[in-house]
Amino acid sequence: MIRLVAVVWALALAVVMLLPSDSLPQAPGGDKLHHLVSFAVLGCIVALGCPHRLIVAIGFAAIYGAVLEFLQPLTGRNAELGDVIADVSGAVLGVGLALLLIRVVAQARPGSTN
């Protein structure tokens, strides 16, 4: 189920990142913050779906963000290295959050050793 959520989130990111910028609603916060948070969510979901492949989770989210960013000129938007950096940073943060969640859940289980 978590992998389906990851696919849906990734597709939603593709739609939002490839729409012309004038068709997007204004949201609070800056563009880089939106990239950071969006890819933190993606990194977290992917890492929760594949907890034994965390480097793959970071790599997937980072490469996916870069590919989407460099496809943006095809839709009238600008590709920015700063957005790719925010995507990669978000992916790393999201995987870190997933690790923390996995550890907290494991320690909360009955019979776990602290």
Side-chain angles (χ1 to χ4, degrees):
M1 181 63 160
I2 193 83
R3 290 181 183 171
L4 177 62
V5 172
V7 169
V8 169
W9 186 257
L11 291 174
L13 282 177
V15 168
V16 171
M17 288 181 69
L18 296 175
L19 282 173
S21 59
D22 59 349
S23 64
L24 294 174
Q26 293 298 319
D31 175 51
K32 305 306 179 259
L33 178 63
H34 298 158
H35 281 267
L36 183 84
V37 171
S38 297
F39 280 84
V41 171
L42 181 63
C44 185
I45 295 169
V46 171
L48 290 173
C50 304
H52 302 293
R53 296 192 173 130
L54 299 177
I55 296 299
V56 172
I58 293 171
F60 167 75
I63 291 168
Y64 187 67
V67 167
L68 289 176
E69 191 63 32
F70 291 108
L71 288 175
Q72 284 184 342
L74 299 175
T75 63
R77 295 177 69 171
N78 295 322
E80 296 181 27
L81 180 59
D83 289 345
V84 174
I85 292 169
D87 296 344
V88 172
S89 299
V92 171
L93 287 172
V95 168
L97 177 61
L99 281 172
L100 180 63
L101 289 171
I102 290 167
R103 180 167 285 164
V104 167
V105 168
Q107 288 180 349
R109 288 189 179 140
S112 68
T113 58
N114 292 335

